[in-house]
């Protein structure tokens, strides 16, 4: 984990009722979470204010799962970063693999979203990662390069001073198949080296999260890797005790 402050984010995706989300947020926000760890919860847009109501009395921060690239205008169904900010949101996930694959978001659009988040003064959690086919074809580095180059080309390496990167191998998301700590570390080191070649200082402080079937029983060994600075948690974030255990493992 190096000397970077650990960061654990829960991505609840499209789950829960108003009541169950409020209960889950309340259980997490009132828990005895380690003070040394940044904890983020990412509910759906409509659950944002209910989560804020309980999170605002705690150190837990609020994030969104997606955003528009526009601030306002004729963009039916979209939600802008400025609107999210008004609801206490401080982070936005951009480029999650489900957005890339199911909603046709390419790296150029992801880079625009990243820039929109930063322009509004919020922090992007930039998700990158390869599919199983790409891994099997030996394309991990090429995929990571393409996904990072889009952001580097748009906003420059300086933007990485306030970006959090999440490496999420697509084949490990929701499958119960975690990357081994060594597999994950190898890609995290590759990401850091790429940024380091452009700006060693920014690379040194860049937080790179691992996501993909992180559970309480594998969290500690993943977080023990030198370039893994925390996790982006899906399924296990829907269970308060599991999520709290993962936060504790990062502390
Ligand atoms: P799982 O933890 O369910 O594999 O999901 C990971 C993820 O996609 C978090 O954004």
């Amino acid at each position: 984990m190096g000397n970077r402050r650990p960061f654990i984010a829960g991505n609840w995706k499209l789950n829960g009722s108003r009541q169950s989300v409020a209960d889950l947020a309340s259980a997490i926000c009132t828990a005895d979470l380690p003070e040394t760890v940044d904890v983020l919860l990412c509910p759906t847009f409509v659950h944002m204010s209910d989560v804020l109501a309980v999170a605002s009395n705690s150190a837990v921060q609020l994030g969104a799962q997606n955003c528009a690239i526009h601030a306002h205008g004729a963009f039916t169904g979209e939600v802008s970063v400025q609107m999210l900010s008004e609801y206490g949101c401080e982070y936005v996930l951009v480029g999650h693999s489900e957005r890339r694959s199911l909603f046709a978001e390419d790296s150029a659009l992801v880079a625009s979203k990243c820039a929109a988040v930063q322009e509004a003064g919020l922090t992007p959690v930039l998700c990158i990662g390869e599919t199983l086919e790409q891994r099997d074809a030996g394309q991990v580095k090429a995929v990571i390069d393409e996904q990072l180059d889009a952001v580097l080309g748009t906003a420059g390496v300086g933007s990485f001073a306030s970006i959090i990167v999440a490496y999420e191998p697509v084949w490990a998301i929701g499958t119960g198949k975690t990357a081994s700590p060594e597999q994950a570390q190898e890609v995290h080191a590759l990401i850091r080296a790429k940024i380091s070649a452009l700006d060693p200082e920014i690379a040194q402080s860049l937080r790179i999260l691992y996501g993909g079937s992180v559970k309480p029983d594998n969290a500690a060994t993943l977080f023990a890797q030198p370039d893994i600075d925390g996790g982006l948690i899906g399924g296990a974030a829907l269970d308060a005790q599991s999520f709290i255990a993962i936060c504790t493992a990062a502390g």
Side-chain angles (χ1 to χ4, degrees):
M1 199 158 314
N3 54 5
R4 294 164 292 271
R5 187 175 159 84
F7 192 104
I8 303 293
N11 174 11
W12 287 338
K13 307 188 181 182
L14 182 59
N15 287 296
S17 64
R18 185 169 186 183
Q19 189 61 54
S20 74
V21 166
D23 291 347
L24 180 58
S26 172
I28 292 169
C29 294
T30 57
D32 191 15
L33 297 169
E35 284 172 16
T36 51
V37 179
D38 286 330
V39 178
L40 176 71
L41 296 176
C42 301
T44 65
F45 294 140
V46 293
H47 293 136
M48 199 79 57
S49 60
D50 286 341
V51 176
L52 180 64
V54 287
S56 56
N57 299 315
S58 76
V60 174
Q61 296 173 289
L62 192 61
Q65 299 173 16
N66 185 28
C67 66
I69 56 171
H70 305 283
H72 50 78
F75 302 102
T76 302
E78 292 288 86
V79 174
S80 73
V81 189
Q82 290 76 4
M83 291 168 182
L84 293 168
S85 177
E86 278 196 321
Y87 278 80
C89 195
E90 294 175 77
Y91 297 82
V92 183
L93 307 185
V94 296
H96 190 282
S97 72
E98 287 148 20
R99 301 293 321 168
R100 292 181 192 261
S101 67
L102 303 174
F103 300 95
E105 293 193 8
D106 62 14
S107 291
L109 179 65
V110 172
S112 298
K113 290 194 176 191
C114 207
V117 172
Q118 292 198 301
E119 277 158 25
L122 280 71
T123 303
V125 178
L126 169 65
C127 305
I128 59 176
E130 82 287 355
T131 63
L132 187 57
E133 294 70 32
Q134 289 166 331
R135 172 164 284 263
D136 288 345
Q139 295 169 344
V140 175
K141 185 173 184 308
V143 171
I144 298 297
D145 277 344
E146 190 271 334
Q147 293 174 339
L148 288 177
D149 283 343
V151 176
L152 287 165
T154 301
V157 69
S159 68
F160 280 79
S162 50
I163 286 177
I164 292 175
V165 172
Y167 169 60
E168 296 206 305
V170 179
W171 48 273
I173 296 178
T175 58
K177 237 197 222 178
T178 325
S180 70
E182 296 73 25
Q183 278 175 322
Q185 166 58 27
E186 191 183 351
V187 183
H188 282 234
L190 194 138
I191 295 165
R192 199 178 305 285
K194 182 176 176 71
I195 302 300
S196 188
L198 300 168
D199 191 316
E201 215 170 295
I202 288 177
Q204 202 43 48
S205 56
L206 177 66
R207 290 187 285 183
I208 309 174
L209 317 181
Y210 169 78
S213 300
V214 179
K215 308 286 178 215
D217 61 358
N218 61 23
T221 49
L222 285 160
F223 302 158
Q225 299 298 313
D227 289 295
I228 300 183
D229 305 307
L232 179 52
I233 319 301
L238 292 168
D239 176 79
Q241 293 320 312
S242 296
F243 187 69
I244 294 162
I246 292 168
C247 293
T248 304

